[in-house]
Amino acid sequence: MEYETEAHTFMLGAGLKPMAKLSFNLTGSYTKGTGNISELSFAHLETSDVKLSYNVSALNPNQIYLYDTAYINGISAYSNADFKELDVTLGVAYRLTKQMGIGLNYYYTDYQDDAPYVYRDESNTLQSLVGYLTYSF
Amino acid sequence: MKRRYLTVLVGLCLAMPLAIQAVAGDSSDKPLQGEVTIGGKWQLDDLDRHEGRAKGGAEFDSTADKNLSWDTGAKLDYRSNAINFDVNGRYKDGDDQTYGGNLDLNRVMLYKTNYDRFMHRLGHDYMDNLTAQIFRAAGTPGAPVGLPFPCPDPNNPAFCQALPDTDPNTAGYQNSRSTIGAAAVYHTDHDPFATYGNTHTTWENSLTFNVPNFPGLQVGFDHRQEKRKGCAQALTTSKCSACHIESYSKGINEETNDYIPRVSLKFEALALEYSFLHREFNDKSQEMINGYNALAAAHIAPFAANLQFPTYSGTTLNAGSEILPFSRTPDSTKDSHTLKGRYDIDANNTVMAGLVYSKSTNTQTDGAYSPLYGEFGKDLELDSTAMMAKWHSRLSHAVSLNLFGKYQTMNNDNVGIDVNDAALHNKYKNEPADLWDFTRFSAYDMDILTLGADLSWKLAKGITLKGGYEYKMDDRKNADLLNVPETTEEHTIKLGADWRINRQMKWALGYKGQFVNHPYAYKNAVCTPWGSFGQYAGPASDGADYYRSYGPTIYDARTGTRSNLPNQAHEFSLKGNFMPMKTLSANLYGKYRNAKNDDVSGNDWQQDLFTGGLNLVLTPSEKLVFTAGYNYFYDTYDSMYCIALYDG
């Protein structure tokens, strides 16, 4: 059995201060993460036990035996983790006076769950605005 | 955890451009300076619609489900000859607050405090994957009672919808829909619409006095408090109801307090420090209970109340005795004495030594003897004594040497387990009542010895070579009883080189090799012989003696030894710092680890791990800054599974 996880993270940022009173900032990050289990190779085990070897193919062609160790190979299909997350922040700050300033930030987060499993689909998009007034002394 | 790690990386990268955005005011050299920020957050897309998805994008954001919230902060800084202090704080909501402060009274009294609270949203495991086999109990042509009828039927959704719930406690369950034996997995979520999350609070205080009339003497007191409050999902199952997983919502309320008085003395070349740690962990969380036997009996009619944990009057189950606690963490204390010393022999030689004695106590085991409730009539204790010493010597202008050693011995209480083996209710009647009783010997009864040396050699201007060797031996006292290796010997070699080519470029290379004899492993843990499966092997009169069924073919037949620790590992690392031009700086890093264990049964255990990244900072002018970064993580494990095939 092999368990593999992989993650790529890209980040970008920029800050600009065109004048003493004014500044801008832009940041962004993008993450893609995956995980999976593979190389499971269980074979069917014949036993003399009536339950373990009970043939149910007449009821379900996709499931010949009631219990079959080979069914465990299905873990490869439903063990995948696969998500993408994009975060962006855009901000501006302005100094009104020597002691007072204002600012506004915008936040964007987009999380895409491409392989929902035990926690179901956790995809989400969130946006918010933060405004503030600062007084220094 | 991985996502939080990535968040930290992102945060570090973002710090640079944000730094120039500060709406800072006058920073002249005034005794009193401060800043007050009043702000608010407007959540444009909130979590109300998808609260169950909170982990996606808002795992650590407590305000993401509020339309409006505060975002305020303040800091104050006062400097004078005798008194200096600073305080800072930030408040977003009740579950997101940070405060800190420092006070310095004439360098005689120093006080530092930090308070931090944040929310961690937790996922809800809906257990959809645990409805593995759902069958009709009877009526299937040709199928014995209890054997299968496929459901849900994709061609007949109306029929499937008419079936009762998979919960065996639902009325009519036995007559219309059941599972076969106890080997078909199903589940019950007792709070399917719950959302989970905990608030973590940490408060740290440190008070230090420099005794005025005794230069070098310092006394202090540290306190650290950690709290976890909220609601989390608690899952439970048990032997003989292992195919029924149940989920409850559990109120969490945990508190840990560390109290650390300390004293230190510096006298010429000698420095001594003693500290005492008293730690108390109290779990005031909701006390969870579950009635296992009732559920197992309802699961399929012939599966009567034969479980080993209830009590019986003759052959009659004592009502309520099948209700047992689960998901509980015992209260505990830890007392630790630490003595450290350092002596500068001369300008080139220093020796350091330390002694730590600690006692950890489980304070919830002293009730009347009842193993199922974790009561053993006494507090359970773990004693540990550790001694360490280090000698640092600057052999020449270019060569430095460290020699070090550590010895630790641990002793954990043994526990006698008196299994309620149901002999009284006419099961196991051919076995003595104490057949399955045993003593639990602890894996913490062990000695650990570490010896090592490090050498650093400045080969030439800008070039430093490093090398080291470490020997570590784990000696386990109960190895034979626990089916683990008695002695593990680990040899670690470290090699490294720092090369500062010029002011614009610097490289660091490293290698670490680990070679382990008999790494920690579980002997005879897995893999029954091919074709082996659970089949009853005892007399008919002992129908509930499952050990007779599974002992010979499953438990005692396992032959494979497995481990998830390597017997050899190689790790290579590279770091580079460049400044090709005044406006551009870059750092590059990479680490590759290859580990394997070929001292196990079956396939080797293997690990390949690679992390790497490149980060750039470009500052074309004082008014403009750009940052960019890329980080990569890759990890793969090869292991082996053996599945024991049995029913029950």
Side-chain angles (χ1 to χ4, degrees):
Chain A
M1 187 211 78
E2 182 179 290
Y3 180 58
E4 182 182 273
T5 53
E6 189 173 26
H8 303 265
T9 304
F10 302 87
M11 295 162 288
L12 286 171
L16 173 65
K17 198 170 183 180
M19 59 183 78
K21 292 182 173 183
L22 182 64
S23 65
F24 298 93
N25 78 83
L26 171 67
T27 65
S29 71
Y30 175 78
T31 300
K32 178 174 173 53
T34 57
N36 66 76
I37 294 173
S38 59
E39 297 184 8
L40 289 159
S41 54
F42 287 96
H44 171 66
L45 174 65
E46 281 288 349
T47 73
S48 57
D49 186 274
V50 63
K51 292 176 185 172
L52 297 178
S53 295
Y54 189 73
N55 190 311
V56 295
S57 58
L59 302 170
N60 184 353
N62 297 320
Q63 182 176 306
I64 298 172
Y65 299 103
L66 177 57
Y67 300 121
D68 191 341
T69 45
Y71 295 157
I72 296 167
N73 298 330
I75 289 173
S76 294
Y78 57 76
S79 66
N80 292 342
D82 190 348
F83 75 90
K84 297 189 281 279
E85 180 167 342
L86 174 66
D87 292 286
V88 176
T89 304
L90 180 63
V92 57
Y94 184 75
R95 190 188 295 179
L96 298 168
T97 68
K98 214 171 183 179
Q99 292 181 306
M100 194 175 291
I102 56 171
L104 186 67
N105 290 335
Y106 166 76
Y107 299 92
Y108 173 86
T109 295
D110 182 56
Y111 181 86
Q112 289 300 319
D113 188 353
D114 293 332
Y117 188 45
V118 291
Y119 300 121
R120 296 184 182 166
D121 189 353
E122 297 193 297
S123 299
N124 245 324
T125 301
L126 299 169
Q127 297 180 80
S128 60
L129 279 173
V130 173
Y132 58 90
L133 170 71
T134 298
Y135 176 74
S136 306
F137 55 91
Chain B
M1 194 66 191
K2 193 179 297 173
R3 289 190 55 213
R4 191 150 199 221
Y5 167 72
L6 291 171
T7 304
V8 171
L9 284 176
V10 171
L12 289 172
C13 181
L14 303 187
M16 180 63 77
L18 288 172
I20 71 165
Q21 187 210 346
V23 195
D26 188 355
S27 60
S28 59
D29 195 19
K30 296 183 294 188
L32 181 65
Q33 295 182 55
E35 185 179 286
V36 178
T37 300
I38 299 171
K41 179 183 175 187
W42 178 23
Q43 192 74 40
L44 304 172
D45 281 335
D46 64 33
L47 280 176
D48 288 345
R49 291 170 297 129
H50 306 295
E51 204 162 351
R53 299 177 175 182
K55 278 188 73 180
E59 188 171 355
F60 297 98
D61 185 351
S62 62
T63 61
D65 52 359
K66 296 177 179 174
N67 291 328
L68 294 171
S69 57
W70 290 102
D71 191 347
T72 60
K75 54 186 178 183
L76 190 65
D77 191 300
Y78 177 77
R79 303 287 161 204
S80 73
N81 290 333
I83 300 174
N84 297 285
F85 72 87
D86 61 81
V87 292
N88 64 81
R90 186 176 184 192
Y91 178 90
K92 294 175 82 173
D93 78 346
D95 288 329
D96 193 341
Q97 306 176 55
T98 303
Y99 308 98
N102 293 283
L103 174 64
D104 176 349
L105 296 180
N106 210 20
R107 302 299 299 166
V108 172
M109 193 194 87
L110 306 165
Y111 174 64
K112 184 176 183 180
T113 185
N114 282 299
Y115 179 92
D116 183 56
R117 181 185 287 183
F118 69 90
M119 174 186 267
H120 184 197
R121 298 179 188 273
L122 305 171
H124 186 145
D125 184 347
Y126 295 96
M127 303 182 290
D128 296 339
N129 57 314
L130 295 179
T131 307
Q133 306 269 357
I134 300 298
F135 301 108
R136 182 180 288 275
T140 306
V145 172
L147 287 184
F149 184 85
C151 184
D153 182 354
N155 299 316
N156 192 355
F159 169 79
C160 293
Q161 288 166 10
L163 290 173
D165 194 82
T166 55
D167 187 338
N169 293 317
T170 306
Y173 172 82
Q174 292 287 349
N175 297 324
S176 59
R177 192 182 187 190
S178 184
T179 55
I180 174 142
V185 180
Y186 67 109
H187 65 275
T188 306
D189 191 340
H190 295 281
D191 199 356
F193 302 108
T195 55
Y196 298 119
N198 284 322
T199 300
H200 295 249
T201 306
T202 307
W203 185 25
E204 295 173 318
N205 294 283
S206 179
L207 182 65
T208 301
F209 285 101
N210 291 306
V211 181
N213 297 326
F214 205 134
L217 179 63
Q218 193 177 71
V219 294
F221 183 80
D222 298 338
H223 172 242
R224 176 185 163 85
Q225 183 184 72
E226 194 168 334
K227 289 183 178 179
R228 202 163 68 102
K229 284 186 177 180
C231 189
Q233 188 176 20
L235 299 166
T236 185
T237 185
S238 81
K239 173 64 179 168
C240 286
S241 64
C243 304
H244 183 199
I245 315 295
E246 292 184 82
S247 168
Y248 294 86
S249 294
K250 176 186 177 184
I252 303 293
N253 185 1
E254 297 174 349
E255 183 173 326
T256 305
N257 280 286
D258 288 354
Y259 306 95
I260 311 170
R262 55 188 160 78
V263 59
S264 64
L265 175 67
K266 287 181 183 172
F267 181 71
E268 296 184 346
L270 178 68
L272 295 170
E273 181 180 327
Y274 167 79
S275 64
F276 171 71
L277 161 73
H278 175 69
R279 172 173 296 163
E280 290 183 0
F281 170 77
N282 291 302
D283 187 359
K284 301 169 193 164
S285 302
Q286 187 177 351
E287 296 193 345
M288 308 302 292
I289 54 171
N290 191 36
Y292 297 96
N293 208 35
L295 288 163
H299 176 47
I300 188 167
F303 202 88
N306 292 332
L307 307 184
Q308 62 93 15
F309 43 73
T311 60
Y312 293 85
S313 299
T315 57
T316 305
L317 172 71
N318 293 327
S321 69
E322 76 282 12
I323 296 172
L324 293 173
F326 75 97
S327 186
R328 293 188 185 180
T329 309
D331 292 348
S332 61
T333 63
K334 180 177 182 178
D335 291 324
S336 181
H337 303 265
T338 302
L339 180 63
K340 292 190 283 190
R342 174 192 167 115
Y343 181 66
D344 296 321
I345 300 168
D346 54 38
N348 296 318
N349 290 280
T350 301
V351 290
M352 287 158 274
L355 176 68
V356 180
Y357 170 74
S358 68
K359 178 179 283 188
S360 303
T361 306
N362 181 334
T363 59
Q364 279 196 313
T365 59
D366 60 346
Y369 185 84
S370 177
L372 284 170
Y373 287 84
E375 302 286 6
F376 299 100
K378 62 174 183 177
D379 287 340
L380 299 181
E381 294 178 346
L382 168 65
D383 288 313
S384 170
T385 304
M387 292 166 278
M388 58 216 80
K390 182 177 177 181
W391 174 43
H392 170 76
S393 179
R394 194 171 174 185
L395 300 177
S396 72
H397 180 70
V399 180
S400 295
L401 175 69
N402 287 317
L403 297 175
F404 55 89
K406 180 181 175 184
Y407 173 74
Q408 182 178 13
T409 181
M410 290 188 284
N411 183 32
N412 197 16
D413 283 349
N414 300 329
V415 176
I417 307 293
D418 180 4
V419 175
N420 176 16
D421 46 18
L424 295 176
H425 76 289
N426 209 29
K427 305 296 180 186
Y428 306 97
K429 61 184 179 184
N430 295 323
E431 314 285 7
D434 60 352
L435 179 68
W436 311 118
D437 297 348
F438 65 99
T439 299
R440 192 275 288 152
F441 294 97
S442 173
Y444 277 118
D445 286 342
M446 62 186 302
D447 297 334
I448 304 170
L449 174 68
T450 307
L451 298 170
D454 291 332
L455 189 71
S456 174
W457 180 23
K458 284 186 181 175
L459 183 65
K461 188 180 179 184
I463 300 177
T464 303
L465 302 179
K466 299 171 185 172
Y469 169 77
E470 185 177 304
Y471 170 81
K472 181 168 179 272
M473 183 182 72
D474 297 341
D475 186 21
R476 303 178 185 89
K477 293 169 188 169
N478 302 316
D480 289 343
L481 299 164
L482 299 171
N483 279 337
V484 298
E486 181 177 348
T487 303
T488 297
E489 289 183 300
E490 185 176 315
H491 305 268
T492 303
I493 297 168
K494 293 179 188 173
L495 298 172
D498 293 340
W499 185 17
R500 187 185 176 109
I501 298 171
N502 52 41
R503 286 187 177 181
Q504 286 76 41
M505 186 176 290
K506 190 167 71 174
W507 289 98
L509 293 168
Y511 165 77
K512 185 167 105 173
Q514 287 175 286
F515 306 91
V516 187
N517 297 325
H518 309 301
Y520 190 77
Y522 192 13
K523 298 176 182 176
N524 300 329
V526 295
C527 297
T528 56
W530 175 254
S532 177
F533 63 97
Q535 201 167 33
Y536 183 61
S541 57
D542 285 350
D545 183 351
Y546 284 98
Y547 197 86
R548 280 190 181 276
S549 308
Y550 308 131
T553 52
I554 303 291
Y555 305 141
D556 300 336
R558 292 167 175 155
T559 59
T561 297
R562 294 299 296 178
S563 172
N564 63 353
L565 295 170
N567 65 353
Q568 61 175 284
H570 305 276
E571 190 175 300
F572 303 89
S573 62
L574 166 72
K575 285 182 188 173
N577 292 284
F578 316 94
M579 209 164 163
M581 57 185 83
K582 273 188 176 177
T583 56
L584 178 65
S585 67
N587 71 72
L588 173 77
Y589 74 93
K591 184 174 85 171
Y592 171 68
R593 173 182 164 88
N594 173 269
K596 74 171 183 179
N597 187 336
D598 56 10
D599 193 20
V600 290
S601 308
N603 297 350
D604 294 350
W605 176 90
Q606 291 187 71
Q607 181 198 20
D608 276 295
L609 183 147
F610 177 77
T611 58
L614 174 66
N615 294 288
L616 303 168
V617 178
L618 176 66
T619 315
S621 76
E622 288 183 356
K623 296 180 177 179
L624 188 59
V625 60
F626 294 102
T627 61
Y630 169 71
N631 294 288
Y632 177 70
F633 174 89
Y634 176 81
D635 189 15
T636 180
Y637 285 92
D638 271 314
S639 190
M640 188 182 79
Y641 271 124
C642 288
I643 304 296
L645 188 61
Y646 58 107
D647 177 14

